[in-house]
């Protein structure tokens, strides 16, 4: 097919088992079994296979690409972007089309599919018969759709990739392609305007806008590493051609309006522009060259006629180019994003045009993440703002009672012989829980958890250290000018920040463990005693003589006993409250509520990918159910302060009343009973500390495991990146090995059709100018002489040898019977040195 416009080539891919990655992810991250989605897993592989096999310009390929792209957008809300499948694609433009790019990224996959959709639209436009009005309309529509898909890819998909796009899909390359498609769409409108014999002024405006689009495509293409020089020459030629066409049509309009001087000025400027286009003649298609040559001939004829008429008849002054009014622009073609791409979610449904939504029964990944976040926040509210506060209040009560020597002083006075009931119940409670042995088992369990966490931590640190050493070695080997990638700590700043955070967590946890062990050592003797028999306790607690209490002392004893009973009731009430709040948190299941919230978010924002952050209002509202419990803590604190003040006052009266009436044996019994009561309080404190530590190490294990996986992924990605960079550095000619200096352009397999341009009467039949294999233009290359010392590809590879006529050469000739060209290595002769 002969053509003077460009089309985008397809990107090619290897087959990838997307269903395999999804199956593994569902198995490891979801509660649902992959067998529930067997049909969906089969369908997603089929859709990808159909989409990647679209490599011919046929309209049936549009729906295949759109369906797969829509499902990729849909499953993006249910799976993470790095799902575990390495998508491999070959670039379509540039000088590395034989070097595949692989990324574990659903958005990378989507970007390649959309690029191929844009390429398909452009190729469909080229295959149409643009010599008819309907053909031009359809071609224009396809080019606008191609520009729209590229625009959507550049502005919406690429920024959301969270990784570096392929070299031929960076911003400047996509902008250049978008402007190129718009220019060719506007060119179709321009051709139709010529066919419809529209006014010259309107055609001039259309031509000027085409010129602008080509200029913008050239400006972006120069900045791109993927737009070939052949394409740039073509675009520049088109830019100057349509600048000339705009001035030529404006000149015809001036002739119609009898502005003869301006007509000549515009014709001269048109001739200058078309001459600029012809400067690209060595590198452009003969069709484009013929169009410009035909325009030049027409302009030259009109200049001769106009100057002759003006000199003989009109004598109109010819204005300078700077005095000419700028030609207005008529922008008809614009990017059109298909609804199937811009609003893909709305077109997926039970009866949707793009098919049924796959994995519709799979809970979105963001919902699972949000549920975990809510659970963590709920537990933090319950443990830190409610239970911990209640435990702090209880500890304050016991600190005050211990400072007042209560309840030991009261127990010693009331029961001078035997064991007080409260002490007996405390001892029985400790015995039932296996006392100190329970603590040692818990400490051993905690130590194992800590060792496991430290092993995970050191494994991750070692991964980062090995990666950092490798990077430093390469940087030292090649130097910072060639080893240009950022150091490890800059490339993954967040990962390295977490390293110090986890180190701090482990250090703080170790300090906490040592503090708990110290508490146990300090109280171990008394705790062992409490966990023993009552007989041992009776031997340890001294007896005293029964004291005679005066009525005044009895009143104070009664008041103090009532106050301590209130403390017991307060503690009992708080224990029940803690159990109730834990049960409330346990029953706080948000699975159904959060699914309903996710459905609401999908209805209100169908194009927005659901993220955990979108559930923040839901979290805030849901956590309000604990506000009353938090407010109640303040009431508890106020009530406790009043109670403690009352106890201090009553105890002061009690101490004054029995002053001078307490024997030494009674005081010793008071001291021992108080020690045992304090030991019981310490027992509960140590038990709480050990439970907290065990929970901390379990939570830390999950966090460290996730961080270690991030370190592995980072190190693997850096190794792949280092391999590519080292290959580019160590083999600088490898980047040129695939370049063909004289290979012909790709021959597309299309039926021959061509739209004739008005200025070209005999356009030669020649293959179109598609996206060629990367080539370097070389006109009449001169082979350098051997004396220059510079290797030339035309010379082949030659090794230095003995001069002509030397004895060695003669011996070789005589031995082989072959004529050997001096200075050229003969493989049959082997390698000889010396």
């Amino acid at each position: 097919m002969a053509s003077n416009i460009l089309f985008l080539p397809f990107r090619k891919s290897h087959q990838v088992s997307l269903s395999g990655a999804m199956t593994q992810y569902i198995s490891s991250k979801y509660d649902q079994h992959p067998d529930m989605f067997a049909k969906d897993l089969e369908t997603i592989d089929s859709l990808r296979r159909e989409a990647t096999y679209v490599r011919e310009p046929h309209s049936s390929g549009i729906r295949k690409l759109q369906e797969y792209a829509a499902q990729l957008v849909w499953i993006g809300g249910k799976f993470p972007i790095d799902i575990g499948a390495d998508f491999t694609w070959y670039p379509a433009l540039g000088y590395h089309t034989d070097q595949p790019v692989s990324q574990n990224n659903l958005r990378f996959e989507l970007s390649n599919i959309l690029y191929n959709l844009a390429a398909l639209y452009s190729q469909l436009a080229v295959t149409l018969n643009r010599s008819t009005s309907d053909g031009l309309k359809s071609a224009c529509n396809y080019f606008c759709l191609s520009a729209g898909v590229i625009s959507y890819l550049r502005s919406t998909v690429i920024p959301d990739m969270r990784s570096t796009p392929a070299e031929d899909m960076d911003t400047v390359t996509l902008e250049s392609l978008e402007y190129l498609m718009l220019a060719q769409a506007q060119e179709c409108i321009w051709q139709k305007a010529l066919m419809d014999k529209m006014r010259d002024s309107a055609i001039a405006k259309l031509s000027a806008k085409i010129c602008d689009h080509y200029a913008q495509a050239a400006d972006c293409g120069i900045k791109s590493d993927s737009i070939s020089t052949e394409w740039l020459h073509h675009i520049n030629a088109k830019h100057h051609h349509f600048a000339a066409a705009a001035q030529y049509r404006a000149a015809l309009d001036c002739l119609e309006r009898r502005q003869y001087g301006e007509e000549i000025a515009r014709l001269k400027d048109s001739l200058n522009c078309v001459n600029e286009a012809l400067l690209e003649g060595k590198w452009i298609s003969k069709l484009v060259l013929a169009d410009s040559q035909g325009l030049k001939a027409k302009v030259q004829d009109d200049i001769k006629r106009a100057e002759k008429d003006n000199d003989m008849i009109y004598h109109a002054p010819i204005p300078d180019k700077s005095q000419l009014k700028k030609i207005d622009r008529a922008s008809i073609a614009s990017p059109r994003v298909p609804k199937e791409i811009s609003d893909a979610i709305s077109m997926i449904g039970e009866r949707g045009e793009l098919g049924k939504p796959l994995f519709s029964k799979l809970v979105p990944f963001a919902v699972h993440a949000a549920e975990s976040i809510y659970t963590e926040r709920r537990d933090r509210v319950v443990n830190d703002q409610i239970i911990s506060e209640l435990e702090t209040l209880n500890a304050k009560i016991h600190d005050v009672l211990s400072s007042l020597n209560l309840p030991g002083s009261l127990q010693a006075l009331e029961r001078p012989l035997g064991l007080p009931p409260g002490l007996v119940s405390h001892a029985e409670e400790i015995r039932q829980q296996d006392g100190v042995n329970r603590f040692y088992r818990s400490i051993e369990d905690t130590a194992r958890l800590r060792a496991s966490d430290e092993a995970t931590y050191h494994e991750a640190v070692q991964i980062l250290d090995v990666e950092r050493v490798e990077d430093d070695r390469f940087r030292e080997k090649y130097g910072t000018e060639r080893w240009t990638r950022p150091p490890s700590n800059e490339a993954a700043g967040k990962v390295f920040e977490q390293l110090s955070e986890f180190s701090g967590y482990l250090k703080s946890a170790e300090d906490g463990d040592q503090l708990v062990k110290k508490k146990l050592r300090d109280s171990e003797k008394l705790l062992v005693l409490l966990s023993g028999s009552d007989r041992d306790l009776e031997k340890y607690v001294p007896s005293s003589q029964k004291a005679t209490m005066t009525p005044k002392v009895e009143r104070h004893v009664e008041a103090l006993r009532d106050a301590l009973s209130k403390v017991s009731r307060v503690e009992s009430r708080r224990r029940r409250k803690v159990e109730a709040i834990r049960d409330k948190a346990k029953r706080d299941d948000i699975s159904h509520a959060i699914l309903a919230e996710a459905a609401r978010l999908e209805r209100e924002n169908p194009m927005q990918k659901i993220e955990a952050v979108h559930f923040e209002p839901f979290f805030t509202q849901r956590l309000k159910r604990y506000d009353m419990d938090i407010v109640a803590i303040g009431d508890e604190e106020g009530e406790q302060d009043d109670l403690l003040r009352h106890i201090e006052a009553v105890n002061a009266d009690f101490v004054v009343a029995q002053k001078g009436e307490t024997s030494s044996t009674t005081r010793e019994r008071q001291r021992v009973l108080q020690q045992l009561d304090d030991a019981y309080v310490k027992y509960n404190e140590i038990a709480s500390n050990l439970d907290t530590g065990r929970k901390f190490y379990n939570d830390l294990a999950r966090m460290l495991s996730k961080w270690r996986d991030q370190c592995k992924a980072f190190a693997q990605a850096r190794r792949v990146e280092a391999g590519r960079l080292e290959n580019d550095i160590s083999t600088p000619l490898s980047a040129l090995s695939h370049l063909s200096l004289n290979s012909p352009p790709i021959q597309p397999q299309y039926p021959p059709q061509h739209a004739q341009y008005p200025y070209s009467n005999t356009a030669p039949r020649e293959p179109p100018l598609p996206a060629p294999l990367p080539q370097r233009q070389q006109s009449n290359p001169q082979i350098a002489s051997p004396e220059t010392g510079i290797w030339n590809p035309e010379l082949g590879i030659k090794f230095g040898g003995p001069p002509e006529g030397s004895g060695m050469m003669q011996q070789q000739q005589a031995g082989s019977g072959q004529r050997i060209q001096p200075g050229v290595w003969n493989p049959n002769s082997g390698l000889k040195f010396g």
Side-chain angles (χ1 to χ4, degrees):
M1 181 192 71
S3 179
N4 49 14
I5 56 178
L6 303 176
F7 63 83
L8 304 181
F10 288 117
R11 297 172 69 87
K12 298 179 181 179
S13 175
H14 293 312
Q15 285 302 312
V16 175
S17 179
L18 182 54
S19 63
M22 289 181 166
T23 299
Q24 184 176 0
Y25 194 86
I26 294 172
S27 299
S28 61
K29 300 295 183 180
Y30 292 93
D31 294 332
Q32 296 158 286
H33 197 278
D35 289 348
M36 296 173 57
F37 310 99
K39 188 175 181 180
D40 291 343
L41 291 168
E42 182 182 346
T43 301
I44 195 67
D45 275 347
S46 175
L47 287 174
R48 186 181 195 277
R49 187 167 52 252
E50 293 282 340
T52 54
Y53 282 169
V54 175
R55 296 176 186 174
E56 294 293 334
H58 194 278
S59 58
S60 62
I62 296 176
R63 184 45 57 96
K64 295 176 182 178
L65 291 167
Q66 288 177 345
E67 286 179 350
Y68 182 49
Q71 293 295 344
L72 286 175
V73 174
W74 168 255
I75 66 176
K78 296 181 177 291
F79 292 92
I81 192 170
D82 51 342
I83 192 173
D86 289 326
F87 300 102
T88 302
W89 288 87
Y90 287 86
L93 303 172
Y95 302 101
H96 303 284
T97 55
D98 61 342
Q99 297 180 12
V101 179
S102 296
Q103 287 192 25
N104 174 19
N105 191 319
L106 282 174
R107 286 288 175 174
F108 174 72
E109 172 82 344
L110 176 62
S111 66
N112 284 277
I113 293 298
L114 292 182
Y115 176 91
N116 274 0
L117 179 59
L120 177 58
Y121 282 134
S122 70
Q123 294 185 28
L124 288 172
V126 172
T127 62
L128 293 171
N129 182 2
R130 287 174 290 111
S131 62
T132 66
S133 178
D134 290 340
L136 288 171
K137 287 181 182 179
S138 297
C140 175
N141 180 55
Y142 279 135
F143 279 129
C144 287
L145 289 171
S146 180
V149 173
I150 294 173
S151 175
Y152 182 83
L153 174 62
R154 173 180 57 81
S155 61
T156 304
V157 179
I158 297 295
D160 195 36
M161 273 182 60
R162 307 177 196 172
S163 63
T164 304
E167 186 180 77
D168 59 344
M169 283 200 290
D170 60 359
T171 301
V172 290
T173 302
L174 293 178
E175 286 182 345
S176 179
L177 297 179
E178 181 181 346
Y179 287 127
L180 174 61
M181 296 298 107
L182 286 177
Q184 296 183 157
Q186 184 95 354
E187 195 171 334
C188 292
I189 297 173
W190 175 83
Q191 286 181 254
K192 188 174 186 305
L194 295 179
M195 293 175 59
D196 295 344
K197 302 187 184 303
M198 293 181 64
R199 296 177 60 87
D200 291 316
S201 59
I203 297 176
K205 294 175 183 179
L206 292 172
S207 304
K209 190 59 181 179
I210 298 172
C211 171
D212 290 347
H213 284 321
Y214 277 119
Q216 290 168 311
D219 290 342
C220 295
I222 291 173
K223 301 174 186 176
S224 169
D225 294 330
S226 300
I227 302 298
S228 66
T229 53
E230 288 80 8
W231 276 32
L232 289 175
H233 286 306
H234 172 93
I235 293 171
N236 280 325
K238 285 281 194 171
H239 162 62
H240 294 300
H241 175 92
F242 280 98
Q247 289 290 25
Y248 175 70
R249 289 292 171 171
L252 295 181
D253 181 60
C254 291
L255 175 61
E256 185 178 347
R257 292 184 287 109
R258 300 181 182 182
Q259 295 178 354
Y260 305 110
E262 183 179 348
E263 175 198 9
I264 295 174
R266 291 192 181 278
L267 287 171
K268 288 182 177 180
D269 188 52
S270 177
L271 183 61
N272 292 334
C273 291
V274 78
N275 284 333
E276 288 290 331
L278 291 173
L279 292 178
E280 307 283 353
K282 295 181 181 179
W283 302 282
I284 60 177
S285 162
K286 292 182 180 179
L287 289 172
V288 178
L289 180 62
D291 289 337
S292 295
Q293 289 172 340
L295 176 60
K296 180 178 180 179
K298 187 68 174 176
V299 171
Q300 286 175 331
D301 291 342
D302 281 14
I303 287 177
K304 292 178 182 178
R305 185 262 312 153
E307 286 181 336
K308 179 179 179 181
D309 290 347
N310 192 55
D311 290 343
M312 297 182 61
I313 303 173
Y314 307 118
H315 304 290
I318 302 174
D320 187 71
K321 178 181 178 181
S322 60
Q323 297 175 319
L324 295 176
K325 180 183 176 183
K326 182 179 178 180
I327 300 174
D328 293 333
R329 268 59 175 166
S331 180
I332 306 300
S334 61
R336 287 183 52 228
V337 184
K339 185 180 179 182
E340 292 82 358
I341 300 302
S342 63
D343 195 15
I345 298 296
S346 66
M347 303 191 72
I348 294 178
E350 291 300 320
R351 299 182 180 179
E353 295 181 25
L354 298 181
K356 297 180 180 180
L358 301 180
F359 307 98
S360 58
K361 296 182 180 179
L362 184 66
V363 178
F365 173 77
V367 174
H368 282 276
E371 190 170 358
S372 299
I373 291 172
Y374 174 79
T375 301
E376 180 183 349
R377 290 189 186 178
R378 180 201 64 203
D379 292 344
R380 190 161 59 241
V381 168
V382 169
N383 293 323
D384 296 349
Q385 299 185 39
I386 301 176
I387 296 178
S388 179
E389 290 296 325
L390 290 174
E391 290 176 348
T392 301
L393 291 176
N394 287 338
K396 183 179 179 181
I397 289 178
H398 289 292
D399 289 342
V400 172
L401 293 180
S402 180
S403 66
L404 299 177
N405 202 23
L406 291 174
S409 60
L410 189 60
Q411 289 174 344
L413 183 63
E414 291 184 317
R415 291 185 66 92
L417 299 174
L419 300 177
L423 178 60
V424 173
S425 65
H426 291 166
E428 181 62 26
E429 180 183 341
I430 293 175
R431 281 194 292 268
Q432 289 179 355
Q433 297 176 358
D434 202 15
V436 177
N437 295 330
R438 166 202 177 189
F439 289 161
Y440 282 120
R441 287 196 301 271
S442 182
I443 288 174
E444 290 177 0
D445 292 342
T446 302
R448 282 194 292 270
L449 290 173
R450 173 180 174 79
S452 177
D453 288 355
E454 287 180 337
T456 304
Y457 171 78
H458 289 305
E459 181 185 354
V461 171
Q462 185 178 12
I463 291 170
L464 294 178
D465 287 342
V466 170
E467 192 283 323
R468 183 168 49 221
V469 169
E470 290 177 353
D471 184 61
D472 291 342
R473 179 168 58 82
F474 284 125
R475 186 170 285 102
E476 182 179 355
K477 178 179 180 181
Y478 296 112
T480 55
E481 291 186 359
R482 290 194 293 171
W483 197 257
T484 55
R485 72 174 186 172
S488 302
N489 58 339
E490 295 180 9
K494 185 176 180 181
V495 172
F496 281 87
E497 287 175 7
Q498 289 179 306
L499 187 150
S500 58
E501 289 179 7
F502 287 126
S503 176
Y505 292 158
L506 290 171
K507 181 64 173 63
S508 299
E510 183 180 10
D511 294 342
D513 293 344
Q514 296 302 321
L515 180 60
V516 173
K517 291 178 182 179
K518 183 178 182 303
K519 290 180 182 180
L520 180 57
R521 286 195 301 270
D522 294 343
S523 305
E524 183 174 6
K525 180 180 178 181
L526 293 175
L527 293 178
V528 170
L529 186 63
L530 285 170
S531 60
S533 64
D534 288 346
R535 183 185 296 270
D536 294 334
L537 275 176
E538 288 175 351
K539 289 180 180 179
Y540 183 77
V541 178
S543 299
S544 63
Q545 297 177 352
K546 185 175 181 180
T548 302
M549 291 187 290
T550 64
K552 181 179 180 180
V553 172
E554 287 186 354
R555 286 197 303 272
H556 292 306
V557 167
E558 187 67 27
L560 189 56
R561 188 186 302 112
D562 290 342
L564 293 178
S565 296
K566 289 182 180 178
V567 170
S568 298
R569 289 195 294 271
V570 167
E571 289 183 326
S572 179
R573 184 184 69 213
R574 288 175 180 173
R575 282 193 295 270
R576 292 194 300 271
K577 186 175 184 66
V578 168
E579 292 300 323
I581 198 69
R582 282 176 175 161
D583 185 62
K584 179 180 179 179
K586 187 177 180 180
R587 289 185 285 102
D588 187 12
D589 183 9
I590 65 167
S591 55
H592 295 294
I594 202 168
L595 287 176
E597 178 67 10
R600 184 188 67 82
L601 292 172
E602 288 181 344
R603 287 195 305 271
E604 294 182 358
N605 302 284
M607 284 303 294
Q608 185 180 42
K609 179 183 177 182
I610 295 180
E611 301 286 355
V613 69
H614 297 148
F615 294 91
E616 286 295 335
F618 172 79
F619 295 158
T620 302
Q621 185 65 31
R622 186 83 179 188
L623 288 174
K624 285 183 178 180
R625 59 178 56 197
Y626 299 98
D627 287 351
M628 294 299 296
D629 300 299
I630 297 174
V631 171
I633 299 298
D635 299 337
E636 288 275 351
E637 186 174 9
E639 180 184 353
Q640 175 171 304
D641 290 341
D642 294 339
L643 178 59
L644 291 179
R645 282 193 295 268
H646 175 65
I647 291 174
E648 289 173 344
V650 172
N651 184 70
D653 295 338
F654 168 71
V655 171
V656 171
Q658 66 169 349
K659 190 174 183 181
E661 298 182 6
T662 306
S663 65
S664 59
T665 55
T666 301
R667 287 194 295 271
E668 178 63 17
R669 182 177 173 83
Q670 289 176 356
R671 185 186 66 79
V672 172
L673 290 175
Q674 188 61 45
Q675 281 183 343
L676 293 172
D677 189 75
D678 291 344
Y680 172 74
V681 173
K682 191 64 67 175
Y683 172 85
N684 288 325
E685 182 179 332
I686 294 172
S688 177
N689 293 155
L690 289 173
D691 288 342
T692 301
R694 185 168 54 253
K695 184 178 184 302
F696 168 81
Y697 283 120
N698 282 324
D699 293 342
L700 185 62
R702 290 190 291 270
M703 297 167 63
L704 284 170
S705 179
K706 182 178 180 181
W707 178 60
R708 179 193 58 193
D709 293 343
Q710 291 175 349
C711 293
K712 287 181 179 178
F714 166 71
Q716 178 63 26
R718 292 275 284 183
R719 272 191 207 95
V720 173
E721 181 186 22
R724 292 174 183 167
L725 185 57
E726 184 181 27
N727 183 62
D728 291 342
I729 293 174
S730 60
T731 56
L733 291 179
S734 64
L736 302 176
S737 63
H738 63 285
L739 297 180
S740 174
L741 298 177
N742 297 300
S743 60
I746 298 174
Q747 302 292 331
Q749 305 298 319
Y750 305 141
Q753 294 177 8
H754 171 58
Q756 295 289 337
Y757 271 46
Y759 312 121
S760 176
N761 296 324
T762 58
R765 302 182 68 81
E766 176 185 300
L769 191 65
L773 289 173
Q775 301 178 20
R776 294 293 188 190
Q777 185 66 33
Q778 180 172 337
S779 58
N780 300 324
Q782 299 296 323
I783 300 177
S785 63
E787 290 75 18
T788 61
I790 300 176
W791 174 74
N792 188 293
E794 301 294 336
L795 293 176
I797 299 177
K798 300 181 180 181
F799 297 87
E804 183 177 4
S806 67
M808 181 180 294
M809 182 66 69
Q810 292 171 358
Q811 293 174 8
Q812 292 174 353
Q813 290 174 347
S816 63
Q818 298 177 0
R819 179 176 178 82
I820 302 177
Q821 182 179 354
V824 180
W825 176 63
N826 187 343
N828 296 323
S829 302
L831 293 174
K832 297 183 179 181
F833 302 89

